[in-house]
């Protein structure tokens, strides 16, 4: 499979568990996605846009959809717009796959934070914040407390903290990459289970779509 074909297939998979109708409405009406809306308006060359127009632009510009999804992850909002399956409503021969689907949905929501680019993650922000605090402390001890005779030891300590922060950042970056791969593979398996459940007449995935985010209501 070519890289381009893989990305196209991945985009299609992501749309399978995301409610595009909800996406279009939120982009149009929720201020959190104003930057995405501005991109849509720029493409359409007008300020008043309909939900169908928003959806059309998002389909033609997958990078805008990615911006929407990244925004959600940054604000701890899920791009999994499907609620858990009510097992009690299903036939016995459907329940095992439905339980597996529910388990996978829980894991996907747990690992979803790793779909965020590490450079934009809260982890990296924390690392930089700690290093800024350490640098401030270094200047405080040297200048305000008149510890110039100890400055090389203090600077050495600061350099060590930078090295530790760099090592920890690399470790977290690898963790993000590893868990992102787990997320992608689990996403595919979960989508396959939903397709099997639909083919077996157990449910309709559209009936499980979540149309409103409680944080936006």
């Amino acid at each position: 499979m070519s890289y381009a074909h893989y990305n196209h297939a991945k985009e299609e998979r992501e749309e399978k568990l995301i409610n595009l109708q909800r996406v279009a409405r939120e982009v149009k009406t929720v201020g959190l996605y104003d930057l995405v809306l501005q991109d849509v308006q720029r493409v359409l060359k007008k300020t008043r846009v309909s939900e169908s127009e928003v959806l059309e632009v998002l389909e033609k510009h997958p990078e805008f959809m990615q911006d929407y999804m990244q925004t959600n992850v940054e604000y701890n909002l899920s791009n999994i717009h499907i609620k858990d399956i009510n097992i009690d409503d299903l036939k016995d021969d459907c329940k095992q796959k439905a339980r597996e689907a529910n388990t996978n949905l829980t894991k996907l929501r747990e690992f979803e934070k790793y779909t965020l680019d590490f450079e934009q993650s809260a982890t990296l922000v924390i690392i930089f914040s700690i290093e800024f605090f350490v640098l401030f402390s270094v200047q405080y001890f040297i200048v305000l407390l008149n510890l110039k005779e100890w400055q090389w030891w203090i600077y050495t300590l600061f350099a060590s903290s930078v090295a530790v922060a760099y090592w920890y950042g690399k470790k977290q970056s690898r963790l993000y990459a590893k868990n992102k791969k787990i997320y992608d593979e689990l996403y595919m398996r979960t989508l396959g289970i939903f397709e099997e459940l639909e083919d077996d007449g157990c449910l309709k995935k559209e009936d499980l779509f979540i149309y409103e985010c409680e944080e936006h209501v």
Side-chain angles (χ1 to χ4, degrees):
M1 180 183 293
S2 68
Y3 182 79
H5 184 70
Y6 170 81
N7 280 341
H8 178 68
K10 181 175 180 296
E11 290 162 6
E12 289 183 340
R13 292 198 305 273
E14 287 176 337
E15 292 178 355
K16 294 289 186 176
L17 294 181
I18 195 169
N19 186 345
L20 295 180
Q21 180 180 340
R22 167 178 162 177
V23 173
R25 184 175 65 253
E26 288 182 343
V27 168
K28 180 184 176 183
T29 61
V30 179
L32 183 62
Y33 312 103
D34 277 351
L35 292 178
V36 181
L37 177 60
Q38 290 171 17
D39 285 333
V40 172
Q41 292 169 333
R42 175 175 52 80
V43 170
L44 295 175
K45 297 181 179 179
K46 60 180 182 179
T47 55
R48 291 189 177 183
V49 296
S50 65
E51 291 183 14
S52 60
E53 289 175 324
V54 171
L55 184 55
E56 181 179 353
V57 172
L58 293 178
E59 290 174 342
K60 292 181 179 179
H61 295 270
E63 67 273 18
F64 297 165
M65 175 67 77
Q66 186 63 28
D67 289 341
Y68 166 88
M69 297 173 70
Q70 288 279 300
T71 299
N72 278 343
V73 177
E74 290 174 7
Y75 285 87
N76 294 318
L77 302 174
S78 180
N79 291 307
I80 307 297
H81 294 169
I82 289 185
K83 59 187 175 182
D84 289 353
I85 303 168
N86 187 340
I87 306 296
D88 297 334
D89 293 342
L90 301 182
K91 300 177 293 184
D92 289 341
D93 54 351
C94 299
K95 290 183 178 180
Q96 182 176 351
K97 288 183 180 179
R99 290 191 184 96
E100 184 179 357
N102 285 346
T103 299
N104 288 358
L105 288 174
T106 299
K107 291 180 179 178
L108 283 171
R109 297 184 187 107
E110 177 184 350
F111 278 82
E112 196 169 8
K113 61 184 177 182
Y114 295 107
T115 64
L116 182 67
D117 291 339
F118 178 69
E119 290 75 12
Q120 303 178 33
S121 68
T123 301
L124 194 60
V125 173
I126 293 173
I127 292 174
F128 278 121
S129 298
I130 293 175
E131 283 307 301
F132 177 80
F133 174 77
V134 172
L135 178 60
F136 175 81
S137 299
V138 166
Q139 297 300 319
Y140 176 82
F141 281 115
I142 293 176
V143 178
L144 297 182
L145 299 183
N146 195 24
L147 296 177
K148 292 184 178 180
E149 66 273 18
W150 296 93
Q151 64 180 340
W152 292 112
W153 290 101
I154 296 173
Y155 279 128
T156 299
L157 178 62
F158 173 66
S160 299
S161 73
V162 170
V164 171
Y166 177 81
W167 169 82
Y168 183 75
K170 284 292 186 180
K171 180 180 179 181
Q172 288 297 306
S173 179
R174 290 192 295 270
L175 178 64
Y176 267 69
K178 175 184 176 181
N179 288 339
K180 176 63 164 56
K181 183 178 180 181
I182 293 174
Y183 176 90
D184 287 341
E185 293 174 351
L186 186 61
Y187 198 109
M188 292 181 64
R189 291 202 299 271
T190 306
L191 178 58
I193 294 172
F194 272 104
E195 291 175 348
E196 291 174 4
L197 287 169
E198 285 191 296
D199 292 342
D200 294 341
C202 299
L203 53 78
K204 291 183 178 180
K205 183 161 55 15
E206 288 75 11
D207 294 340
L208 298 173
F209 274 144
I210 302 170
Y211 283 89
E212 288 186 329
C213 174
E214 292 183 0
E215 285 81 356
H216 298 332
V217 177

